[in-house]
Amino acid sequence: MKLGFALILLSAIMLAVPSFASEGDHSEVFHECLDSCAVFVCDHEREHQMAHTLRVMQWSCVDNCKYECMMMDVDRDLEAISSGSDGVRIKQYYGKWPFHRFLGMQEPASVVFSLMNLWAHINGGLYLLGRLRPDHPMYQYYFWYVMYGVNAWVWSAVFHMRDKPKTEMLDYFSAALTILYSLYVAVIRLFRLYQPARLHLQQPASYGTRRPRWLPPQHVLRQLWGALCILLYLAHVIYLSVIPRFDYSYNVIANLVVGVLHNLLWLSYSFPFFPLQRFEFKPQSYIPEYGWKPAALAIGMTLATSLELWDFPPWGFVIDAHSLWHLATVPLTWWWYRFLAEDAMDSGWASGRSKGMLD
């Protein structure tokens, strides 16, 4: 299970790593078009004004030439395919499939689906936080979980609008922050490193597990774990920022390792033999009715990620496997917030910090 899950994710994400020499980059027709466009259009740019939407989306004359020549080459390939020519297929250019742009957006479907994920985080975050009192032990962690998720999908939408070095960095760094913070929160929740609420309902003392004497105090462990995550993220960003060329392979592997650890932690929540105590004031044998949901959502996310394995030229030059992956994560995100709310409102929280439990 663990190995298969990791291999699917690794294979899927590696397909998304841009290549530096795509088949379309070597097309003679494509390069002849680029050379002609540079001489007859870009050298007389004042006479060839681009549409306002393209200028707003920061398309340069050279960028526009690349797009127009790419689509011209694609049309040529489509004609050859329709005429029954053998060995002709749609090619990738600069490591990506060709897409019809819309209002200057390079990948309109991925933009729309990223915005749908943004909505899922906002809607789910409001649902979750609206059911917790501010003094719930997990409230502050979930608040920033929502904020980082919203930030990540904003930059995902921006990146798919215009693939430029700065938008690429912001997208990748925001995604890495969200993934690492998700692991941070999972450890805080499952290892009960959160700050206990000030007031507690009366619960049997025997439900609380004794901490080993060799372990540092809870607040020290929390601070050490937080410091480690901050250092790891800073090292990740600094490394990718200072090297001459973005290290896509390292970025994939780093996010993969963190993401798999996060999913495995929450998968274990669903196991009957969960090695940790799910709630401080419930016996270790206690399994909530919704305990199956983390495993189901992890499996669903694995299936959604496997869409990346189904790499194909975009349908209508709009919908590709990557955009379908973004679409599939929308309902999963919505359901994930529902699970977090159920977990946070469980009676096993001694303080009963949820609105529904005390109000």
Side-chain angles (χ1 to χ4, degrees):
M1 173 67 178
K2 296 180 181 179
L3 179 59
F5 179 68
L7 289 176
I8 288 176
L9 276 177
L10 180 60
S11 301
I13 301 177
M14 288 301 288
L15 287 172
V17 176
S19 59
F20 296 100
S22 300
E23 186 179 356
D25 303 350
H26 301 296
S27 170
E28 292 184 7
V29 174
F30 176 67
H31 282 285
E32 288 175 0
C33 176
L34 279 181
D35 294 339
S36 298
C37 189
V39 172
F40 295 107
V41 178
C42 294
D43 287 351
H44 303 84
E45 194 168 352
R46 293 183 180 179
E47 302 175 9
H48 301 274
Q49 291 291 334
M50 290 191 298
H52 177 69
T53 53
L54 298 183
R55 296 197 300 271
V56 169
M57 299 300 292
Q58 298 186 0
W59 285 79
S60 66
C61 183
V62 174
D63 292 337
N64 193 50
C65 283
K66 290 179 179 179
Y67 172 80
E68 296 291 353
C69 291
M70 175 184 70
M71 297 313 297
M72 185 193 72
D73 198 25
V74 168
D75 290 339
R76 178 174 171 271
D77 289 340
L78 287 174
E79 291 179 4
I81 293 172
S82 62
S83 64
S85 298
D86 295 330
V88 180
R89 60 182 182 181
I90 302 300
K91 303 182 288 289
Q92 289 189 345
Y93 299 80
Y94 303 106
K96 292 190 173 185
W97 292 110
F99 291 90
H100 284 308
R101 66 187 177 191
F102 177 72
L103 298 177
M105 296 183 290
Q106 285 180 270
E107 300 177 33
S110 289
V111 172
V112 172
F113 298 155
S114 292
L115 293 176
M116 289 172 64
N117 275 282
L118 172 62
W119 170 86
H121 274 275
I122 294 174
N123 182 272
L126 291 174
Y127 179 91
L128 171 61
L129 298 177
R131 280 156 178 74
L132 303 182
R133 286 170 45 164
D135 57 351
H136 189 287
M138 293 300 297
Y139 185 93
Q140 61 172 324
Y141 300 107
Y142 288 153
F143 174 82
W144 289 110
Y145 179 85
V146 175
M147 293 299 103
Y148 292 144
V150 167
N151 174 73
W153 286 107
V154 165
W155 288 114
S156 174
V158 171
F159 172 63
H160 289 298
M161 287 181 187
R162 285 293 282 125
D163 181 357
K164 300 176 78 69
K166 289 184 179 179
T167 59
E168 180 183 59
M169 286 283 196
L170 288 168
D171 178 38
Y172 288 168
F173 291 164
S174 297
L177 176 60
T178 301
I179 295 170
L180 182 57
Y181 189 76
S182 297
L183 176 62
Y184 169 76
V185 171
V187 171
I188 292 291
R189 165 63 187 93
L190 297 177
F191 288 87
R192 304 204 313 272
L193 298 183
Y194 43 77
Q195 179 67 38
R198 294 180 180 179
L199 299 176
H200 292 270
L201 299 177
Q202 294 296 323
Q203 298 285 352
S206 60
Y207 286 168
T209 56
R210 294 182 179 180
R211 294 170 56 80
R213 294 183 177 180
W214 54 267
L215 272 180
Q218 187 180 40
H219 72 278
V220 174
L221 289 175
R222 183 171 61 250
Q223 292 170 355
L224 289 173
W225 172 233
L228 175 61
C229 289
I230 291 173
L231 289 175
L232 288 174
Y233 181 71
L234 290 177
H236 177 78
V237 171
I238 292 172
Y239 168 70
L240 291 175
S241 299
V242 300
I243 56 177
R245 192 170 68 179
F246 195 88
D247 191 341
Y248 292 98
S249 297
Y250 157 76
N251 184 62
V252 166
I253 294 172
N255 287 312
L256 171 69
V257 170
V258 175
V260 168
L261 288 175
H262 167 267
N263 284 343
L264 289 178
L265 280 175
W266 279 112
L267 268 173
S268 65
Y269 183 100
S270 299
F271 295 163
F273 45 89
F274 185 56
L276 304 173
Q277 194 171 350
R278 294 176 181 84
F279 298 95
E280 185 175 359
F281 293 93
K282 287 285 187 180
Q284 188 165 353
S285 60
Y286 170 69
I287 303 176
E289 293 181 357
Y290 54 84
W292 58 272
K293 291 186 178 180
L297 289 169
I299 294 172
M301 185 57 71
T302 302
L303 294 175
T305 305
S306 67
L307 286 170
E308 290 277 35
L309 298 174
W310 188 27
D311 196 30
F312 56 87
W315 297 333
F317 299 100
V318 176
I319 303 287
D320 70 332
H322 184 73
S323 64
L324 289 177
W325 176 34
H326 284 337
L327 177 62
T329 58
V330 175
L332 294 173
T333 299
W334 193 86
W335 289 326
W336 178 250
Y337 275 108
R338 265 57 183 177
F339 159 71
L340 291 180
E342 286 183 295
D343 175 74
M345 296 173 67
D346 193 280
S347 60
W349 293 90
S351 57
R353 294 296 89 185
S354 70
K355 288 184 178 180
M357 290 169 60
L358 288 185
D359 293 355

